[in-house]
Amino acid sequence: MVFGRTTRDGRGGEPLPSVLDWRGVTAFTVGRVERQGAKGGRTVFGPTAVRVPRREGAGRVFPPCALIVAPDADTSVLYEDREMLRVLCTVVREGVDGRADGGERRYVVRDAAGQEVGRVRRVPPARRLLRHTWRVEQPGRPEIVGRNKWAALSRQDAAVHAAGRLVGGVVDSVLSLGADGGDAPRRDRTLLWTAEGEEVMRSEGADFRVKAPWVERRLAFAVAVIGDQ
């Protein structure tokens, strides 16, 4: 299902992709690219949005399912339409400078009526060499924990994944220093999002894939909008 009118890129080009229904989205990213031609082709940009990558001939399109506006540093508002008239949800940092006791950063997600959809927490690492983790609280569901893929895997499974690429002590280095992080700072880390041992979502930078149908999409979008910083 699509919403709103189809608009053009403002320069006489092809129509911009229509806004998709956000409810059934399973794979999405956050960005400004509307349309990307084949190699050497023109790239059309639009407003920052939660977008659903799709193939179109030899190129790609990125129709939005939620348009993003940040009225201030602590707030993001997501809209269901290009005209930005229908609010989908808001994401607001709580506490002084968005920090709570213990160095956590906490965010509350509310729907258009102001009702709480859920919460997102950025939890600082227990040790200096590790990276932060994430917690997503969705009412009526188990807590979702987002952490580096090496930390989410068991030691045995992680070693199997590392075989062929890492040898000897390098494996132990990745498992210890890389747990909850440890990727090179210049690279987007891959996060596994699990609830009671089940992988419900996976992300790499701004690219997300929801695996469990029960995951509240507005909370997933909020995590992507906040960013793994």
Side-chain angles (χ1 to χ4, degrees), residues 124-186:
R127 298 198 300 272
R128 182 179 178 184
L129 293 178
L130 305 183
R131 295 279 299 279
H132 57 271
T133 58
W134 295 92
R135 305 290 188 275
V136 179
E137 301 170 7
Q138 178 177 333
R141 295 291 183 175
E143 182 180 67
I144 300 173
V145 179
R147 61 178 62 183
N148 181 275
K149 63 180 178 180
W150 295 108
L153 294 172
S154 68
R155 177 173 289 270
Q156 181 178 359
D157 288 342
V160 170
H161 280 268
R165 295 186 300 162
L166 305 171
V167 295
V170 179
V171 174
D172 289 333
S173 175
V174 171
L175 291 173
S176 58
L177 299 182
D180 293 330
D183 295 66
R186 293 183 299 275

Short mmCIF file of all heavy atoms in Angstrom, two decimals, residues 124-186:
data_model
loop_
_atom_site.label_atom_id
_atom_site.label_comp_id
_atom_site.label_asym_id
_atom_site.label_seq_id
_atom_site.Cartn_x
_atom_site.Cartn_y
_atom_site.Cartn_z
N PRO A 124 26.48 2.09 28.28
CA PRO A 124 27.94 2.18 28.12
C PRO A 124 28.61 0.86 28.45
O PRO A 124 28.06 0.04 29.19
CB PRO A 124 28.33 3.29 29.11
CG PRO A 124 27.25 3.28 30.14
CD PRO A 124 25.99 2.93 29.40
N PRO A 125 29.81 0.64 27.92
CA PRO A 125 30.50 -0.64 28.17
C PRO A 125 31.00 -0.75 29.60
O PRO A 125 31.26 0.26 30.26
CB PRO A 125 31.67 -0.60 27.17
CG PRO A 125 31.94 0.86 27.00
CD PRO A 125 30.59 1.52 27.05
N ALA A 126 31.14 -1.99 30.05
CA ALA A 126 31.65 -2.24 31.40
C ALA A 126 33.16 -2.07 31.46
O ALA A 126 33.72 -1.77 32.51
CB ALA A 126 31.25 -3.65 31.86
N ARG A 127 33.81 -2.27 30.32
CA ARG A 127 35.26 -2.12 30.26
C ARG A 127 35.65 -1.16 29.15
O ARG A 127 34.95 -1.05 28.14
CB ARG A 127 35.94 -3.49 30.03
CG ARG A 127 35.68 -4.49 31.14
CD ARG A 127 36.68 -5.63 31.12
NE ARG A 127 36.65 -6.37 29.87
CZ ARG A 127 35.84 -7.40 29.64
NH1 ARG A 127 34.98 -7.77 30.56
NH2 ARG A 127 35.87 -8.03 28.49
N ARG A 128 36.79 -0.51 29.32
CA ARG A 128 37.19 0.58 28.45
C ARG A 128 37.32 0.18 26.98
O ARG A 128 36.97 0.93 26.08
CB ARG A 128 38.52 1.15 28.95
CG ARG A 128 39.03 2.34 28.15
CD ARG A 128 40.33 2.86 28.71
NE ARG A 128 40.85 3.96 27.93
CZ ARG A 128 42.01 4.55 28.15
NH1 ARG A 128 42.77 4.13 29.16
NH2 ARG A 128 42.41 5.54 27.38
N LEU A 129 37.84 -1.02 26.73
CA LEU A 129 38.12 -1.43 25.36
C LEU A 129 36.88 -1.94 24.62
O LEU A 129 36.95 -2.22 23.43
CB LEU A 129 39.21 -2.51 25.34
CG LEU A 129 40.60 -2.06 25.79
CD1 LEU A 129 41.57 -3.22 25.77
CD2 LEU A 129 41.11 -0.92 24.91
N LEU A 130 35.78 -2.06 25.31
CA LEU A 130 34.57 -2.55 24.69
C LEU A 130 33.72 -1.40 24.17
O LEU A 130 34.02 -0.24 24.37
CB LEU A 130 33.77 -3.41 25.68
CG LEU A 130 34.53 -4.57 26.31
CD1 LEU A 130 33.61 -5.38 27.21
CD2 LEU A 130 35.15 -5.46 25.24
N ARG A 131 32.66 -1.74 23.47
CA ARG A 131 31.75 -0.73 22.91
C ARG A 131 30.40 -0.81 23.61
O ARG A 131 30.07 -1.80 24.26
CB ARG A 131 31.57 -0.96 21.40
CG ARG A 131 32.83 -0.78 20.57
CD ARG A 131 33.08 0.69 20.28
NE ARG A 131 32.00 1.29 19.52
CZ ARG A 131 31.87 1.16 18.18
NH1 ARG A 131 32.73 0.45 17.49
NH2 ARG A 131 30.86 1.76 17.56
N HIS A 132 29.61 0.22 23.45
CA HIS A 132 28.30 0.28 24.05
C HIS A 132 27.36 -0.78 23.45
O HIS A 132 27.60 -1.30 22.36
CB HIS A 132 27.68 1.66 23.85
CG HIS A 132 27.59 2.05 22.41
ND1 HIS A 132 28.60 2.71 21.74
CD2 HIS A 132 26.61 1.86 21.49
CE1 HIS A 132 28.25 2.90 20.48
NE2 HIS A 132 27.03 2.41 20.30
N THR A 133 26.30 -1.08 24.17
CA THR A 133 25.24 -1.97 23.69
C THR A 133 23.92 -1.21 23.74
O THR A 133 23.85 -0.07 24.21
CB THR A 133 25.16 -3.25 24.54
OG1 THR A 133 24.92 -2.90 25.91
CG2 THR A 133 26.45 -4.05 24.45
N TRP A 134 22.86 -1.87 23.27
CA TRP A 134 21.55 -1.23 23.19
C TRP A 134 20.49 -2.10 23.85
O TRP A 134 20.59 -3.32 23.85
CB TRP A 134 21.16 -0.97 21.74
CG TRP A 134 22.03 0.01 21.05
CD1 TRP A 134 23.17 -0.26 20.31
CD2 TRP A 134 21.88 1.44 21.02
NE1 TRP A 134 23.72 0.90 19.83
CE2 TRP A 134 22.96 1.96 20.25
CE3 TRP A 134 20.95 2.32 21.56
CZ2 TRP A 134 23.11 3.33 20.02
CZ3 TRP A 134 21.10 3.67 21.32
CH2 TRP A 134 22.16 4.16 20.56
N ARG A 135 19.47 -1.45 24.39
CA ARG A 135 18.30 -2.14 24.93
C ARG A 135 17.04 -1.48 24.35
O ARG A 135 16.93 -0.26 24.35
CB ARG A 135 18.25 -2.05 26.45
CG ARG A 135 19.50 -2.56 27.16
CD ARG A 135 19.64 -4.08 27.04
NE ARG A 135 20.73 -4.57 27.87
CZ ARG A 135 22.00 -4.61 27.49
NH1 ARG A 135 22.34 -4.16 26.28
NH2 ARG A 135 22.93 -5.08 28.29
N VAL A 136 16.12 -2.30 23.88
CA VAL A 136 14.85 -1.80 23.36
C VAL A 136 13.74 -2.40 24.20
O VAL A 136 13.63 -3.63 24.32
CB VAL A 136 14.66 -2.18 21.87
CG1 VAL A 136 13.31 -1.67 21.37
CG2 VAL A 136 15.80 -1.62 21.02
N GLU A 137 12.91 -1.54 24.79
CA GLU A 137 11.82 -1.98 25.65
C GLU A 137 10.50 -1.78 24.93
O GLU A 137 10.08 -0.65 24.67
CB GLU A 137 11.84 -1.17 26.95
CG GLU A 137 13.15 -1.32 27.72
CD GLU A 137 13.25 -0.34 28.88
OE1 GLU A 137 12.26 0.37 29.14
OE2 GLU A 137 14.33 -0.27 29.49
N GLN A 138 9.86 -2.89 24.57
CA GLN A 138 8.57 -2.88 23.89
C GLN A 138 7.53 -3.50 24.82
O GLN A 138 7.67 -4.66 25.20
CB GLN A 138 8.65 -3.66 22.58
CG GLN A 138 7.33 -3.73 21.82
CD GLN A 138 7.46 -4.46 20.49
OE1 GLN A 138 8.53 -4.48 19.89
NE2 GLN A 138 6.39 -5.05 20.01
N PRO A 139 6.53 -2.75 25.22
CA PRO A 139 5.54 -3.28 26.17
C PRO A 139 4.96 -4.62 25.73
O PRO A 139 4.60 -4.81 24.57
CB PRO A 139 4.46 -2.18 26.17
CG PRO A 139 5.19 -0.93 25.81
CD PRO A 139 6.22 -1.36 24.81
N GLY A 140 4.91 -5.55 26.68
CA GLY A 140 4.34 -6.85 26.41
C GLY A 140 5.27 -7.82 25.71
O GLY A 140 4.87 -8.95 25.40
N ARG A 141 6.51 -7.41 25.48
CA ARG A 141 7.48 -8.26 24.79
C ARG A 141 8.78 -8.31 25.59
O ARG A 141 9.08 -7.41 26.37
CB ARG A 141 7.78 -7.73 23.39
CG ARG A 141 6.58 -7.78 22.45
CD ARG A 141 6.22 -9.22 22.11
NE ARG A 141 5.11 -9.26 21.14
CZ ARG A 141 4.66 -10.40 20.61
NH1 ARG A 141 5.20 -11.56 20.96
NH2 ARG A 141 3.66 -10.37 19.74
N PRO A 142 9.58 -9.37 25.39
CA PRO A 142 10.87 -9.43 26.10
C PRO A 142 11.81 -8.33 25.61
O PRO A 142 11.69 -7.85 24.48
CB PRO A 142 11.41 -10.82 25.73
CG PRO A 142 10.72 -11.19 24.46
CD PRO A 142 9.36 -10.57 24.56
N GLU A 143 12.71 -7.91 26.48
CA GLU A 143 13.66 -6.86 26.14
C GLU A 143 14.55 -7.31 24.98
O GLU A 143 14.99 -8.46 24.91
CB GLU A 143 14.54 -6.54 27.35
CG GLU A 143 15.54 -5.42 27.10
CD GLU A 143 16.38 -5.12 28.32
OE1 GLU A 143 17.20 -6.00 28.70
OE2 GLU A 143 16.22 -4.03 28.90
N ILE A 144 14.78 -6.40 24.04
CA ILE A 144 15.65 -6.67 22.90
C ILE A 144 17.03 -6.08 23.21
O ILE A 144 17.14 -4.91 23.60
CB ILE A 144 15.10 -6.04 21.61
CG1 ILE A 144 13.71 -6.61 21.30
CG2 ILE A 144 16.04 -6.28 20.44
CD1 ILE A 144 13.01 -5.92 20.13
N VAL A 145 18.06 -6.89 23.04
CA VAL A 145 19.44 -6.46 23.30
C VAL A 145 20.19 -6.39 21.98
O VAL A 145 20.21 -7.37 21.23
CB VAL A 145 20.15 -7.43 24.27
CG1 VAL A 145 21.60 -6.98 24.51
CG2 VAL A 145 19.39 -7.53 25.59
N GLY A 146 20.79 -5.25 21.71
CA GLY A 146 21.58 -5.09 20.49
C GLY A 146 23.05 -5.01 20.84
O GLY A 146 23.46 -4.16 21.63
N ARG A 147 23.84 -5.92 20.27
CA ARG A 147 25.27 -5.91 20.54
C ARG A 147 26.04 -6.42 19.33
O ARG A 147 25.47 -7.02 18.42
CB ARG A 147 25.60 -6.76 21.77
CG ARG A 147 25.23 -8.22 21.64
CD ARG A 147 25.64 -9.02 22.87
NE ARG A 147 24.96 -8.54 24.07
CZ ARG A 147 25.18 -9.02 25.28
NH1 ARG A 147 26.07 -9.98 25.47
NH2 ARG A 147 24.50 -8.56 26.31
N ASN A 148 27.34 -6.17 19.35
CA ASN A 148 28.20 -6.61 18.28
C ASN A 148 28.00 -8.10 18.01
O ASN A 148 27.81 -8.89 18.92
CB ASN A 148 29.66 -6.33 18.65
CG ASN A 148 30.64 -6.74 17.58
OD1 ASN A 148 31.04 -7.89 17.51
ND2 ASN A 148 31.01 -5.80 16.75
N LYS A 149 28.05 -8.49 16.72
CA LYS A 149 27.75 -9.87 16.37
C LYS A 149 28.67 -10.87 17.05
O LYS A 149 28.25 -11.98 17.38
CB LYS A 149 27.81 -10.06 14.86
CG LYS A 149 29.19 -9.83 14.25
CD LYS A 149 29.16 -10.03 12.75
CE LYS A 149 30.52 -9.76 12.12
NZ LYS A 149 30.50 -9.95 10.66
N TRP A 150 29.92 -10.49 17.30
CA TRP A 150 30.84 -11.43 17.96
C TRP A 150 30.41 -11.70 19.38
O TRP A 150 30.53 -12.81 19.89
CB TRP A 150 32.25 -10.87 17.93
CG TRP A 150 32.81 -10.76 16.56
CD1 TRP A 150 33.03 -9.62 15.85
CD2 TRP A 150 33.21 -11.84 15.69
NE1 TRP A 150 33.54 -9.91 14.60
CE2 TRP A 150 33.66 -11.26 14.49
CE3 TRP A 150 33.23 -13.23 15.82
CZ2 TRP A 150 34.13 -12.03 13.42
CZ3 TRP A 150 33.69 -13.98 14.76
CH2 TRP A 150 34.13 -13.39 13.59
N ALA A 151 29.89 -10.68 20.05
CA ALA A 151 29.44 -10.85 21.42
C ALA A 151 28.13 -11.62 21.49
O ALA A 151 27.88 -12.34 22.44
CB ALA A 151 29.27 -9.48 22.10
N ALA A 152 27.29 -11.46 20.47
CA ALA A 152 25.99 -12.14 20.46
C ALA A 152 26.12 -13.63 20.18
O ALA A 152 25.28 -14.42 20.59
CB ALA A 152 25.07 -11.49 19.42
N LEU A 153 27.19 -14.02 19.47
CA LEU A 153 27.42 -15.42 19.18
C LEU A 153 28.12 -16.09 20.36
O LEU A 153 28.82 -15.45 21.13
CB LEU A 153 28.30 -15.57 17.93
CG LEU A 153 27.70 -15.09 16.60
CD1 LEU A 153 28.77 -15.13 15.52
CD2 LEU A 153 26.51 -15.94 16.20
N SER A 154 27.93 -17.40 20.49
CA SER A 154 28.68 -18.14 21.48
C SER A 154 30.15 -18.18 21.06
O SER A 154 30.48 -17.97 19.90
CB SER A 154 28.15 -19.58 21.60
OG SER A 154 28.44 -20.29 20.40
N ARG A 155 31.05 -18.45 21.98
CA ARG A 155 32.47 -18.51 21.65
C ARG A 155 32.73 -19.54 20.56
O ARG A 155 33.51 -19.30 19.64
CB ARG A 155 33.29 -18.83 22.91
CG ARG A 155 34.79 -18.98 22.64
CD ARG A 155 35.55 -19.12 23.94
NE ARG A 155 35.57 -17.86 24.67
CZ ARG A 155 36.54 -16.95 24.52
NH1 ARG A 155 37.50 -17.15 23.66
NH2 ARG A 155 36.51 -15.85 25.22
N GLN A 156 32.06 -20.69 20.63
CA GLN A 156 32.28 -21.73 19.63
C GLN A 156 31.79 -21.28 18.25
O GLN A 156 32.50 -21.44 17.26
CB GLN A 156 31.55 -23.01 20.05
CG GLN A 156 31.75 -24.17 19.05
CD GLN A 156 31.04 -25.43 19.52
OE1 GLN A 156 30.43 -25.44 20.59
NE2 GLN A 156 31.12 -26.49 18.75
N ASP A 157 30.59 -20.69 18.20
CA ASP A 157 30.06 -20.24 16.92
C ASP A 157 30.90 -19.12 16.33
O ASP A 157 31.12 -19.06 15.13
CB ASP A 157 28.61 -19.75 17.09
CG ASP A 157 27.64 -20.89 17.33
OD1 ASP A 157 28.02 -22.05 17.04
OD2 ASP A 157 26.53 -20.63 17.83
N ALA A 158 31.36 -18.22 17.20
CA ALA A 158 32.17 -17.11 16.71
C ALA A 158 33.47 -17.61 16.14
O ALA A 158 33.97 -17.11 15.12
CB ALA A 158 32.44 -16.13 17.85
N ALA A 159 34.05 -18.64 16.76
CA ALA A 159 35.29 -19.20 16.26
C ALA A 159 35.09 -19.84 14.89
O ALA A 159 35.94 -19.74 14.00
CB ALA A 159 35.84 -20.22 17.25
N VAL A 160 33.93 -20.49 14.72
CA VAL A 160 33.64 -21.11 13.41
C VAL A 160 33.52 -20.03 12.34
O VAL A 160 34.05 -20.16 11.24
CB VAL A 160 32.32 -21.93 13.50
CG1 VAL A 160 31.88 -22.36 12.11
CG2 VAL A 160 32.53 -23.14 14.38
N HIS A 161 32.83 -18.93 12.66
CA HIS A 161 32.68 -17.85 11.69
C HIS A 161 34.03 -17.21 11.37
O HIS A 161 34.25 -16.72 10.27
CB HIS A 161 31.72 -16.79 12.24
CG HIS A 161 30.28 -17.14 12.09
ND1 HIS A 161 29.54 -16.76 11.00
CD2 HIS A 161 29.46 -17.87 12.88
CE1 HIS A 161 28.30 -17.23 11.12
NE2 HIS A 161 28.24 -17.90 12.26
N ALA A 162 34.92 -17.21 12.36
CA ALA A 162 36.21 -16.55 12.15
C ALA A 162 37.19 -17.44 11.40
O ALA A 162 38.15 -16.93 10.81
CB ALA A 162 36.81 -16.17 13.51
N ALA A 163 36.96 -18.74 11.38
CA ALA A 163 37.89 -19.67 10.72
C ALA A 163 38.03 -19.32 9.25
O ALA A 163 37.08 -19.02 8.56
CB ALA A 163 37.38 -21.10 10.87
N GLY A 164 39.25 -19.38 8.78
CA GLY A 164 39.52 -19.03 7.39
C GLY A 164 39.91 -17.59 7.22
O GLY A 164 40.52 -17.22 6.23
N ARG A 165 39.55 -16.76 8.19
CA ARG A 165 39.91 -15.35 8.11
C ARG A 165 40.83 -14.95 9.27
O ARG A 165 41.63 -14.03 9.13
CB ARG A 165 38.66 -14.47 8.15
CG ARG A 165 37.76 -14.64 6.95
CD ARG A 165 36.61 -13.64 6.99
NE ARG A 165 35.80 -13.84 8.21
CZ ARG A 165 34.97 -12.94 8.69
NH1 ARG A 165 34.87 -11.77 8.11
NH2 ARG A 165 34.26 -13.19 9.76
N LEU A 166 40.67 -15.60 10.39
CA LEU A 166 41.46 -15.28 11.56
C LEU A 166 42.19 -16.53 12.02
O LEU A 166 41.64 -17.62 11.94
CB LEU A 166 40.57 -14.76 12.68
CG LEU A 166 39.68 -13.57 12.32
CD1 LEU A 166 38.68 -13.30 13.44
CD2 LEU A 166 40.53 -12.33 12.09
N VAL A 167 43.39 -16.40 12.50
CA VAL A 167 44.17 -17.56 12.93
C VAL A 167 44.74 -17.32 14.31
O VAL A 167 44.96 -16.17 14.72
CB VAL A 167 45.31 -17.87 11.93
CG1 VAL A 167 44.77 -18.28 10.59
CG2 VAL A 167 46.24 -16.66 11.80
N GLY A 168 45.02 -18.46 14.99
CA GLY A 168 45.72 -18.40 16.27
C GLY A 168 45.11 -17.41 17.25
O GLY A 168 43.92 -17.39 17.50
N GLY A 169 45.97 -16.57 17.80
CA GLY A 169 45.57 -15.63 18.83
C GLY A 169 44.65 -14.54 18.33
O GLY A 169 44.02 -13.84 19.13
N VAL A 170 44.53 -14.34 17.01
CA VAL A 170 43.66 -13.31 16.49
C VAL A 170 42.22 -13.61 16.84
O VAL A 170 41.42 -12.70 17.11
CB VAL A 170 43.83 -13.16 14.96
CG1 VAL A 170 42.89 -12.09 14.41
CG2 VAL A 170 45.27 -12.82 14.64
N VAL A 171 41.84 -14.88 16.83
CA VAL A 171 40.48 -15.26 17.19
C VAL A 171 40.17 -14.82 18.61
O VAL A 171 39.13 -14.20 18.89
CB VAL A 171 40.26 -16.78 17.04
CG1 VAL A 171 38.88 -17.17 17.55
CG2 VAL A 171 40.43 -17.19 15.60
N ASP A 172 41.07 -15.13 19.54
CA ASP A 172 40.85 -14.74 20.93
C ASP A 172 40.79 -13.22 21.07
O ASP A 172 40.04 -12.68 21.87
CB ASP A 172 41.96 -15.29 21.83
CG ASP A 172 41.84 -16.80 22.00
OD1 ASP A 172 40.70 -17.31 21.90
OD2 ASP A 172 42.86 -17.46 22.21
N SER A 173 41.59 -12.53 20.26
CA SER A 173 41.58 -11.07 20.31
C SER A 173 40.23 -10.52 19.90
O SER A 173 39.68 -9.62 20.53
CB SER A 173 42.67 -10.50 19.39
OG SER A 173 42.60 -9.11 19.34
N VAL A 174 39.67 -11.08 18.83
CA VAL A 174 38.36 -10.62 18.37
C VAL A 174 37.28 -10.93 19.39
O VAL A 174 36.41 -10.12 19.66
CB VAL A 174 38.00 -11.28 17.01
CG1 VAL A 174 36.56 -10.99 16.64
CG2 VAL A 174 38.94 -10.77 15.94
N LEU A 175 37.37 -12.11 20.01
CA LEU A 175 36.34 -12.52 20.96
C LEU A 175 36.39 -11.71 22.25
O LEU A 175 35.38 -11.47 22.88
CB LEU A 175 36.48 -14.00 21.28
CG LEU A 175 36.14 -14.94 20.12
CD1 LEU A 175 36.48 -16.37 20.50
CD2 LEU A 175 34.68 -14.83 19.76
N SER A 176 37.58 -11.28 22.64
CA SER A 176 37.70 -10.54 23.89
C SER A 176 37.57 -9.05 23.66
O SER A 176 36.66 -8.40 24.16
CB SER A 176 39.03 -10.86 24.58
OG SER A 176 40.12 -10.54 23.70
N LEU A 177 38.46 -8.47 22.87
CA LEU A 177 38.41 -7.03 22.62
C LEU A 177 37.25 -6.66 21.72
O LEU A 177 36.75 -5.55 21.79
CB LEU A 177 39.72 -6.56 21.98
CG LEU A 177 40.98 -6.78 22.81
CD1 LEU A 177 42.19 -6.23 22.07
CD2 LEU A 177 40.85 -6.13 24.18
N GLY A 178 36.80 -7.59 20.88
CA GLY A 178 35.73 -7.28 19.95
C GLY A 178 34.35 -7.50 20.51
O GLY A 178 33.36 -7.12 19.90
N ALA A 179 34.25 -8.15 21.68
CA ALA A 179 32.93 -8.36 22.26
C ALA A 179 32.30 -7.02 22.59
O ALA A 179 32.93 -6.15 23.17
CB ALA A 179 33.05 -9.22 23.53
N ASP A 180 31.03 -6.88 22.21
CA ASP A 180 30.29 -5.63 22.36
C ASP A 180 30.91 -4.50 21.56
O ASP A 180 30.66 -3.34 21.80
CB ASP A 180 30.23 -5.20 23.83
CG ASP A 180 29.39 -6.15 24.65
OD1 ASP A 180 28.46 -6.74 24.07
OD2 ASP A 180 29.68 -6.31 25.83
N GLY A 181 31.79 -4.81 20.64
CA GLY A 181 32.43 -3.76 19.86
C GLY A 181 33.78 -4.23 19.41
O GLY A 181 34.03 -5.40 19.26
N GLY A 182 34.75 -3.34 19.26
CA GLY A 182 36.06 -3.76 18.87
C GLY A 182 36.29 -3.66 17.39
O GLY A 182 37.40 -3.90 16.92
N ASP A 183 35.26 -3.37 16.60
CA ASP A 183 35.47 -3.14 15.18
C ASP A 183 36.27 -1.87 15.02
O ASP A 183 36.27 -0.99 15.89
CB ASP A 183 34.13 -2.96 14.45
CG ASP A 183 33.29 -4.22 14.50
OD1 ASP A 183 32.88 -4.59 15.60
OD2 ASP A 183 33.06 -4.80 13.43
N ALA A 184 36.97 -1.73 13.90
CA ALA A 184 37.69 -0.50 13.64
C ALA A 184 36.71 0.67 13.65
O ALA A 184 35.62 0.56 13.12
CB ALA A 184 38.41 -0.59 12.29
N PRO A 185 37.08 1.79 14.26
CA PRO A 185 36.14 2.92 14.39
C PRO A 185 35.61 3.42 13.06
O PRO A 185 34.54 3.99 13.00
CB PRO A 185 37.00 3.98 15.09
CG PRO A 185 38.08 3.21 15.80
CD PRO A 185 38.34 2.03 14.93
N ARG A 186 36.37 3.21 11.98
CA ARG A 186 35.96 3.75 10.70
C ARG A 186 34.90 2.90 10.01
O ARG A 186 34.35 3.29 8.99
CB ARG A 186 37.18 3.88 9.77
CG ARG A 186 38.18 4.92 10.23
CD ARG A 186 39.33 5.04 9.23
NE ARG A 186 40.05 3.80 9.07
CZ ARG A 186 41.05 3.42 9.87
NH1 ARG A 186 41.43 4.19 10.87
NH2 ARG A 186 41.67 2.29 9.67
#
